[in-house]
Amino acid sequence: MTRILLLGGTTEANLMAQAVAKAGLAGVYSYAGRTEAPMGQPIHMRIGGFGGVEGLQAYLAREGITNVIDATHPFAAQMSRNAVEACAAQAVPLMALERAPWVAGDGDRWTHVPDSAAAVDALAGPPQRVFLAIGRQHIDAFAAQPQHDYLLRLVDAPTGSLPLPRARVVVARGPFDVAGDTALLRDHATEVVVAKNAGGKGAVAKIAAARALGVPVVMIDRPRVPERRVVRTVSEVMAWLTG
Ligand code: 3Y8
Ligand code: NAP
């Protein structure tokens, strides 16, 4: 009897949940609990951390999980590391569903940086109008470059003051579209976009908008995650589950 743990929080995970429900397989969709009101899912949901590798191992045993699908965001590296360790320890098969990174094309003006600290360093220099599109968890680090006029896009309205003296907040949950992001960059007169190389469609609009407007992008490359089986499509995961 298949019982799936789907580590979610992305567009791909949502598509995966639809396929699992359609196939009539038993599964649980797991959110970290980062946002106030995460989207509903067609399968059971759980919200919150497991309590590290040990907590995840105990969960796998207690719930009789037979397959784990890691469909988390490429920057959710800690969750992916924990899944590799816990699944190996419990001998539960693990499959990652991961989108390919974006690759710069004609007209793209990208500067690649290895992590958000390097993105902060890349913003040294005279004041600019910066679209900081990397969410809430790493904003504090940019207080080291207070000279800029920031536009922040967050999933939930910030509680308390922001660590940036000049920042405007747009509260919006993606997926985003190119027309909307082009208008946003124009209205803000953005001079540089800071983005994570998330890949996929949900966050790519700002990259296409920056290309169209000739705006440079500081592109944060993905963190390393341990070796594991990876596929790019829901159907490949379904073949693995039912094969
Ligand atoms: C809680 C679940 C879907 C899935 C929506 C995808 C697409 C839209 C684009 C910008 C970039 C960013 C951010 C982003 C995108 C999708 C997908 C994606 C980027 C939700 C969600 C959860 C989260 C967590 C949130 C992080 C933040 C990152 C905002 C739900 C909406 C910037 C990543 O406030 C916080 O603490 C937010 C934290 C992790 C990164 C950060 O470090 O702040 N995602 N995003 C998941 C959980 O609790 O387990 O609330 O319904 C999911 C999605 N966000 O089709 O419905 O699949 O990537 N999410 C980035 O890529 O740079 C926004 O603004 O252009
Ligand atoms: P992370 O740094 O890799 O994980 C930190 C801790 O959060 C994990 O050790 C785990 O806690 C908990 N956690 C993370 N994802 C979880 C999940 N799906 N279910 C249960 N617990 C989870 O994670 P993150 O980067 O903060 O991402 C959190 C969530 O947001 C994930 O679902 C991810 O897919 C989604 N998301 C992240 C980004 C991003 O830019 N990072 C973008 C879009 C969506 P314990 O150790 O206690 O188990």
Side-chain angles (χ1 to χ4, degrees), residues 5-10 13 29-34 46-53 55-56 70-82 99 134-135 137-138 196 198:
L5 172 62
L6 174 52
L7 299 173
T10 60
Y29 188 109
S30 180
Y31 281 116
R34 285 280 177 283
R46 66 169 297 286
I47 299 181
F50 296 96
V53 176
L56 180 52
D70 179 356
T72 58
H73 189 275
F75 280 73
Q78 186 60 56
M79 185 72 257
S80 295
R81 272 193 292 275
N82 291 2
R99 57 260 186 133
I134 57 169
Q137 295 182 95
H138 300 283
K196 295 175 179 175

Side-chain angles (χ1 to χ4, degrees), residues 99-233:
R99 57 260 186 133
W102 298 317
V103 176
D106 292 347
D108 282 322
R109 298 172 57 192
W110 293 4
T111 304
H112 285 274
V113 293
D115 51 32
S116 45
V120 173
D121 296 344
L123 291 184
Q128 293 189 85
R129 304 183 64 76
V130 180
F131 177 20
L132 191 54
I134 57 169
R136 167 177 63 172
Q137 295 182 95
H138 300 283
I139 294 177
D140 292 357
F142 289 84
Q145 305 287 357
Q147 69 274 28
H148 302 306
D149 275 289
Y150 287 98
L151 170 67
L152 304 177
R153 179 152 64 185
L154 305 176
V155 179
D156 297 315
T159 50
S161 64
L162 290 163
L164 303 168
R166 278 193 305 289
R168 178 158 69 90
V169 175
V170 167
V171 177
R173 169 195 305 259
F176 302 104
D177 64 63
V178 181
D181 277 10
T182 304
L184 186 69
L185 266 60
R186 268 217 187 92
D187 295 349
H188 177 244
T190 301
E191 294 170 289
V192 59
V193 173
V194 180
K196 295 175 179 175
N197 197 332
K201 302 185 192 62
V204 76
K206 63 186 174 287
I207 305 302
R211 182 184 310 124
L213 297 172
V215 170
V217 175
V218 173
M219 183 62 79
I220 304 172
D221 290 333
R222 297 176 171 188
R224 292 186 50 69
V225 289
E227 278 305 303
R228 70 245 163 102
R229 278 198 290 185
V230 179
V231 292
R232 297 282 188 226
T233 63

